[in-house]
C-alpha cells in the first residue's frame, strides 16, 4: 500500500548565485582580497594601540625627558671620543699602563686554558 513518490519532487534545482560563480571563477576575490584588507585594516587598528602603549611606558619611566633636562641643566658637551683621546695624550699618562689579567675563579676559567 505504499505510494511511490516521484523522484523529481526532491531533486534540488541547481541555483548558483552570482557570488558562488564569481568565487569559483576568481578564488582570489574570496581569499586574497579579504586577507589583504584584514592585514591593512589591522595595521590601522594596531598602530594607535602600540603608540598608546609606548606613551604610557614613557610617562612611567620618563627617561628620555629627564636625560634631556639634565643635559640642559648641566650644559655639558656631548661625549666626543677624539677629545678624550687628546686629553689622555696631553696628561702624559698614555704609556704608563700595562695590561694585566684579572683574577678569576677556577670555575670561570676558559676550558682551553685548563690542563
Amino acid at each position: 500500500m505504499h505510494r511511490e513518490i516521484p523522484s523529481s519532487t526532491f531533486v534540488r534545482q541547481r541555483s548558483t548565485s552570482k557570488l558562488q560563480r564569481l568565487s569559483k571563477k576568481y578564488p582570489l576575490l574570496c581569499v586574497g582580497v579579504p586577507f589583504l584588507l584584514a592585514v591593512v585594516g589591522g595595521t590601522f587598528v594596531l598602530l594607535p594601540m602600540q603608540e598608546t602603549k609606548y606613551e604610557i611606558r614613557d610617562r612611567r619611566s620618563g627617561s628620555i625627558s629627564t636625560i634631556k633636562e639634565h643635559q640642559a641643566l648641566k650644559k655639558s658637551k656631548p661625549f666626543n671620543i677624539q677629545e678624550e683621546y687628546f686629553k689622555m695624550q696631553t696628561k702624559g699618562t698614555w704609556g704608563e699602563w700595562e695590561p694585566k689579567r684579572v683574577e678569576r675563579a677556577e670555575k670561570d676559567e676558559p676550558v682551553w686554558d685548563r690542563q
Side-chain angles (χ1 to χ4, degrees):
M1 292 287 242
H2 295 291
R3 235 174 57 180
E4 284 190 30
I5 301 173
S7 62
S8 63
T9 58
F10 290 109
V11 173
R12 201 179 229 184
Q13 294 291 327
R14 283 195 158 204
S15 63
T16 56
S17 69
K18 196 173 188 178
L19 184 64
Q20 285 176 334
R21 278 185 269 137
L22 280 175
S23 68
K24 285 184 181 180
K25 193 172 183 180
Y26 305 106
L28 183 68
L29 286 176
C30 291
V31 178
V33 173
F35 176 74
L36 290 176
L37 287 174
V39 169
V40 172
T43 58
F44 286 111
V45 170
L46 292 176
L47 189 65
M49 289 180 173
Q50 190 174 12
E51 287 176 0
T52 305
K53 178 180 99 172
Y54 288 124
E55 287 173 5
I56 290 171
R57 190 180 69 181
D58 286 343
R59 262 189 259 141
R60 282 186 191 158
S61 66
S63 61
I64 295 174
S65 62
T66 55
I67 290 173
K68 288 182 180 177
E69 288 174 7
H70 286 288
Q71 284 180 351
L73 290 174
K74 289 181 182 178
K75 295 183 181 178
S76 64
K77 293 189 242 177
F79 180 76
N80 188 351
I81 191 78
Q82 287 180 341
E83 288 180 18
E84 295 298 321
Y85 173 77
F86 292 128
K87 282 181 191 176
M88 286 179 67
Q89 276 188 337
T90 56
K91 286 182 184 176
T93 59
W94 187 252
E96 296 177 9
W97 62 276
E98 183 178 314
K100 293 183 181 176
R101 186 165 184 216
V102 177
E103 296 297 323
R104 301 187 207 177
E106 184 145 343
K107 65 176 183 165
D108 294 335
E109 286 288 327
V111 177
W112 54 84
D113 284 348
R114 294 184 191 157
Q115 294 179 2

